[in-house]
Amino acid sequence: EAQVTQNPRYLITVTGKKLTVTCSQNMNHEYMSWYRQDPGLGLRQIYYSMNVEVTDKGDVPEGYKVSRKEKRNFPLILESPSPNQTSLYFCAISRGRNQPQHFGDGTRLSIL
Amino acid sequence: QQPVQSPQAVILREGEDAVINCSSSKALYSVHWYRQKHGEAPVFLMILLKGGEQKGHDKISASFNEKKQQSSLYLTASQLSYSGTYFCGTAMNYGGSQGNLIFGKGTKLSVKP
């Protein structure tokens, strides 16, 4: 069964303090993606990766970085977090863009 | 560019039917449907890849009208377990964004006994 593990699940931090949200998968899927979810705005894609060393911007990439050095991991990096990045974040995996996506349990970030 | 979902919210009694629509201003390559229950992650329902394609399982089905750039999700004889927020995700029909999936804002469905 597909497993997508996000860490941490919850984090309260302060403006400007760099943080990383990790995402790892157990399925060897090529496609991985990060979304943020805010009330009334739905799911918005931040970055996605079609394979190792291949990443691309989604709709709301400003203020975020990602890397895909190995297939199983796709960390989301906030170099200098700001309060407007307070949100619920989901990592998702799939075999490809037009395949079912399996989501992690989410990471709730609060930036004060 | 974000697809428009309608209605934004709907309340049903058990056994009633509902239709959720998803419209895009851009040509679509595929439409994805997900359901999210409160406090949980979104869960995959179905993907429609071709114009005119229809899919379904159980009492939930969907259609994709490529010409009209829209998709509809049909829930028949709704059950309490259908409650949640439904999202459509769209992949555009141009090559520049090969992996970009854009979701609508969601339709909140509440099924009452």
Side-chain angles (χ1 to χ4, degrees), chain A residues 31 35 37 40-45 48 50 56-59 88 90 97-106, chain B residues 1-2 29-30 32 34 36 40-44 47 49 87 91-92 96-106:
Chain A
Y31 183 96
Y35 297 90
Q37 185 172 31
L41 296 180
L43 292 156
R44 293 182 292 167
Q45 195 173 42
Y48 61 93
M50 303 284 277
D56 210 344
K57 295 177 181 178
D59 288 327
L88 177 59
F90 287 103
R97 179 180 74 153
N98 289 307
Q99 298 292 324
Q101 291 197 36
H102 184 84
F103 286 78
D105 288 335
Chain B
Q1 206 173 358
Q2 194 174 22
Y29 180 77
S30 63
H32 306 217
Y34 288 79
Q36 184 180 30
E40 298 180 7
V43 173
F44 170 76
I47 291 173
L49 287 175
F87 293 99
M92 299 303 167
S97 297
Q98 291 295 315
N100 191 218
L101 191 63
I102 304 172
F103 282 91
K105 293 182 180 179

Side-chain angles (χ1 to χ4, degrees), chain B residues 1 7 12-13 17 22 27 32 37 51 53 57-59 65 74 81 93-94 99-100 113:
Chain B
Q1 206 173 358
L12 300 174
R13 292 282 180 195
D17 302 340
C22 175
H32 306 217
K37 292 185 179 288
E53 185 177 25
H57 60 84
D58 218 357
K59 294 190 173 96
N65 188 321
Y74 307 94
S81 61
N93 197 18
Y94 52 84
N100 191 218

Side-chain angles (χ1 to χ4, degrees), chain A residues 4 9-10 18-19 27 29 33 39 42 51 73 76 78 92 96:
Chain A
V4 182
R9 292 289 317 281
Y10 305 90
K18 181 179 177 180
L19 68 93
M27 295 299 291
H29 283 348
S33 181
N51 213 328
N73 294 322
L76 179 70
L78 286 73

